[in-house]
Amino acid sequence: MNAPANLIAVLLVVAVTVGMGGYGLRSRSTPDFYVASRTVSPLRNAAAVSGEYLSAASYLGIAGLLATYGSTMLWYGIGYTAGYLVLLVLVAAPLRRSGAYTVSDFAEARLGSMAVRRTATVFVVLIGLLYQVPQLVGAGLALHTALGAPAWSGTVLVAAVVLVSVITGGMRSVTLVQSVQYWLKLTALAVPALVLLLVWRGVWHPAGSPAPLPAAHPATGHGGGQGLYGVYSLMVATFLGTMGLPHVTARFYTNPDGRAARRTTVGVLCLLGVFYLLPEVYGGLGRLYAPDLAAAGRADTEVLRLPALLVPGATGRLLAALVVAGAFAAFLSTCSGLALSVAAVLSQDLFGGDVRGFRRAAAPAVLVPCAIALLLSGNGMSVAHEVGLIFSVAASTFCPLLVLGIWWRRLTAAGAVAGMLVGGGLSAAALTLTLLGVGGPGWAGALLAEPAAWSVPAAFLTMVGVSLLTPGGVPAAASVMLARLHLPEALAAGPADRSATAGDRSSPGTVRSSLDGHH
């Protein structure tokens, strides 16, 4: 690949990210850093949600899986998008009306329990740190492919830029950066994809363009041939895991009200639907023109290599540089959102909850996953599959908590803690064993590689069962809290509450005191 053009592309993305991050220097109050003072418009928020959600798995991994395994892997893009439909119907507006800054805040406010809050915090940190790892590994892979640089350099570069962006401006600056980066990623994939399709269909015949190779036969899929189970479990993980991703749910706290949160979710569905048409193009063309990459275990690099392969010369190099720029935008935007969500909960539970505490919490939120990524670099696992496993953990912990916490009055603190520990423990154990290579072919490998089909039901059943066994643990204010979650803001709040809510949007103060004021 053309290293000078790719280097310029990477440096431009980094410069734009750091430059726009300076916008957040206007952030001074706690609401600014945590939720951008709840003033983000639905359109900008939809672009920002899409920007941080479209990670390395979406940008590089789905195309690599399609090139390796064929059409079965289309469910990744479908599931990642459909998760927002579930979020729209069940969670978006009530979660915004809760007045929380984080999932941990919601858990404590809904159930009145510090044990629930601490359990939720542990899983927010776990999911946030683990989700950053494949992004940072992908950054190292991309920089090595684009520039020939050591893989660790890309990991360190992205971690450094994210740390600066989060520390300087918090949610306000990250929102602006991510909304711009969505459009950059969309352009970076769409323009080369259009050119590649013209070459494939014979409309354009650039000199030196290779002829398609015989179509590759699809592999057996995940789980040693247990393909049908893998598809169903993947659907459960992606459909229900989206609402359990801390950096996704944190976005809905930045909307002015519940109606705006719903409008944001509809916008996200449209933006993701457009984007996920593109990885399929690269995956299909990769099977035709570069099956050797999949055979060599380098399928995640196909998006980066195809433009220069199919369009030799200066045009191909420019297209490749554009794709590289989009890839780094993907790494930066997703890692920024994840680091911000982890820093928010660490700050509130360990560092006092103010702006200074947020900045102190940002360092471990970025540096810990960076260290893990450096250790795991080169393990050969698909980026998209790693992310799919983390979706299983999210679906097995926060999905039951949010769905039952919003829609079932009889949920108790004991039930919530037990359900999160069972679902999270089972899915996290499956993730760890899969990364260690345990399981092998057959049903054992399939169940570990795609645990959501059994870990999510286990979490729901445990949460419901333990709650029914501990009826005395239903919070006294449960009915009041549920009314607040489901009624429009103007109906759910009296004059004093509306004044408090308005103050929450604009004035400093921790979320815990704000929530106590509402009770």
Side-chain angles (χ1 to χ4, degrees), residues 46-60:
V49 173
S50 303
E52 72 176 349
Y53 189 65
L54 296 172
S55 62
S58 299
Y59 198 90
L60 301 178

Side-chain angles (χ1 to χ4, degrees), residues 12-13 35 70 89 96 125 128 199 249-250 253 287 307 311 342 344 398 406 417 438 444 461 472 494:
L12 282 175
V13 172
V35 290
V89 173
R96 168 57 190 92
V125 173
V199 174
T249 53
Y253 309 136
R287 290 174 67 82
V311 188
V342 172
F398 294 128
I406 290 171
V417 170
V438 177
L461 291 173

Side-chain angles (χ1 to χ4, degrees), residues 84-103:
Y84 278 91
L85 183 59
V86 180
L87 188 66
L88 171 64
V89 173
L90 297 178
V91 172
L95 195 60
R96 168 57 190 92
R97 294 188 188 114
S98 71
Y101 285 177
T102 66
V103 175

Side-chain angles (χ1 to χ4, degrees), residues 150-447:
W152 62 264
S153 60
T155 300
V156 172
L157 174 63
V158 169
V161 174
V162 168
L163 185 59
V164 170
S165 178
V166 172
I167 285 177
T168 54
M171 182 65 83
R172 184 179 292 277
S173 63
V174 168
T175 296
L176 177 63
V177 170
Q178 290 173 335
S179 61
V180 172
Q181 286 176 336
Y182 167 78
W183 298 108
L184 172 58
K185 285 185 277 191
L186 182 66
T187 303
L189 276 191
V191 172
L194 178 59
V195 174
L196 296 180
L197 287 173
L198 293 176
V199 174
W200 170 57
R201 297 302 298 169
V203 177
W204 184 29
H205 302 277
S209 178
L213 298 172
H217 294 291
T220 57
H222 295 302
Q226 312 301 329
L228 186 60
Y229 165 81
V231 168
Y232 285 136
S233 190
L234 174 64
M235 291 166 61
V236 172
T238 53
F239 284 20
L240 301 181
T242 300
M243 73 174 72
L245 297 177
H247 65 303
V248 170
T249 53
R251 278 272 152 224
F252 294 95
Y253 309 136
T254 66
N255 283 118
D257 51 39
R259 181 172 179 269
R262 282 201 176 101
R263 292 172 61 193
T264 293
T265 311
V266 173
V268 172
L269 279 166
C270 296
L271 295 178
L272 293 183
V274 172
F275 181 90
Y276 280 121
L277 296 173
L278 300 172
E280 284 76 2
V281 173
Y282 289 87
L285 294 177
R287 290 174 67 82
L288 293 176
Y289 289 93
D292 57 308
L293 293 177
R298 293 179 292 148
D300 285 338
T301 67
E302 291 202 356
V303 171
L304 303 173
R305 294 180 180 273
L306 277 176
L309 177 64
L310 270 68
V311 188
T315 302
R317 290 194 293 271
L318 288 175
L319 293 174
L322 182 60
V323 171
V324 170
F328 267 82
F331 308 139
L332 290 171
S333 58
T334 301
C335 284
S336 295
L338 290 164
L340 192 143
S341 64
V342 172
V345 296
L346 288 177
S347 171
Q348 290 190 33
D349 289 309
L350 297 179
F351 297 105
D354 58 4
V355 172
R356 179 178 294 181
F358 180 94
R359 286 172 166 157
R360 291 170 62 192
V366 175
L367 298 180
V368 171
C370 179
I372 297 173
L374 292 174
L375 290 174
L376 295 180
S377 182
N379 69 347
M381 175 168 280
S382 163
V383 170
H385 186 54
E386 285 188 51
V387 169
L389 286 170
I390 297 164
F391 265 71
S392 297
V393 179
S396 303
T397 50
F398 294 128
C399 172
L401 175 68
L402 292 173
V403 171
L404 295 177
I406 290 171
W407 295 100
W408 193 44
R409 181 187 175 279
R410 299 173 67 182
L411 179 67
T412 66
V417 170
M420 284 191 286
L421 290 177
V422 169
L426 291 174
S427 55
L431 185 153
T432 302
L433 293 173
T434 299
L435 292 177
L436 293 175
V438 177
W443 275 106
L447 293 171

Side-chain angles (χ1 to χ4, degrees), residues 475-517:
S479 297
V480 175
M481 185 64 178
L482 287 175
R484 181 183 173 192
L485 295 178
H486 293 290
L487 291 175
E489 285 81 354
L491 296 177
D497 288 332
R498 283 195 291 270
S499 174
T501 302
D504 179 50
R505 293 174 188 160
S506 58
S507 62
T510 64
V511 69
R512 191 171 301 171
S513 63
S514 173
L515 289 171
D516 290 342

